[in-house]
Amino acid sequence: MFKLLERGRDRGLDGFTSITFVLVPALLVWLASLAIALGGLPQYLLLPLLALYFIVPALMLRLQFEFSWKTACGYGALVFVVALVVDILLAAGLSAMQV
């Protein structure tokens, strides 16, 4: 991951841009979860939105920073896996605190 950031630095890829890879999908998922909660719909409707953690970084790296599709999709997969692991750990921690 650090090699990718180093190679992207000359293209304008910095720490703030890396934060937007997670912040944009998280904000969209949060807004959708708010709408689903207000609408009284089941939470499993949010599952397809987790793909945004892959789609947003991959498309930004490919289209904005002109990385190859392989590199962009690899980094998108890394962001997706990290976001998924963090969500699982947070859910496990919250459920353990309620018991």
Side-chain angles (χ1 to χ4, degrees):
M1 183 165 84
F2 291 117
K3 288 181 183 179
L4 177 67
L5 290 175
E6 287 298 321
R7 283 195 327 233
R9 198 161 283 179
D10 60 340
R11 297 181 186 173
L13 184 62
D14 57 2
F16 179 74
T17 306
S18 298
I19 291 171
T20 61
F21 292 159
V22 177
L23 188 63
V24 170
L27 182 61
L28 292 173
V29 169
W30 181 76
L31 289 173
S33 66
L34 183 65
I36 285 177
L38 290 175
L41 299 170
Q43 292 291 316
Y44 67 82
L45 294 175
L46 291 173
L47 288 177
L49 289 178
L50 292 179
L52 289 174
Y53 285 106
F54 171 78
I55 294 169
V56 169
L59 287 179
M60 280 182 68
L61 284 172
R62 176 62 183 139
L63 301 176
Q64 184 176 357
F65 296 104
E66 298 175 352
F67 281 90
S68 69
W69 278 111
K70 181 180 176 182
T71 304
C73 289
Y75 189 73
L78 177 68
V79 171
F80 176 74
V81 168
V82 169
L84 194 62
V85 168
V86 168
D87 280 348
I88 290 170
L89 291 176
L90 285 175
L94 289 175
S95 66
M97 290 175 53
Q98 291 178 358
V99 173

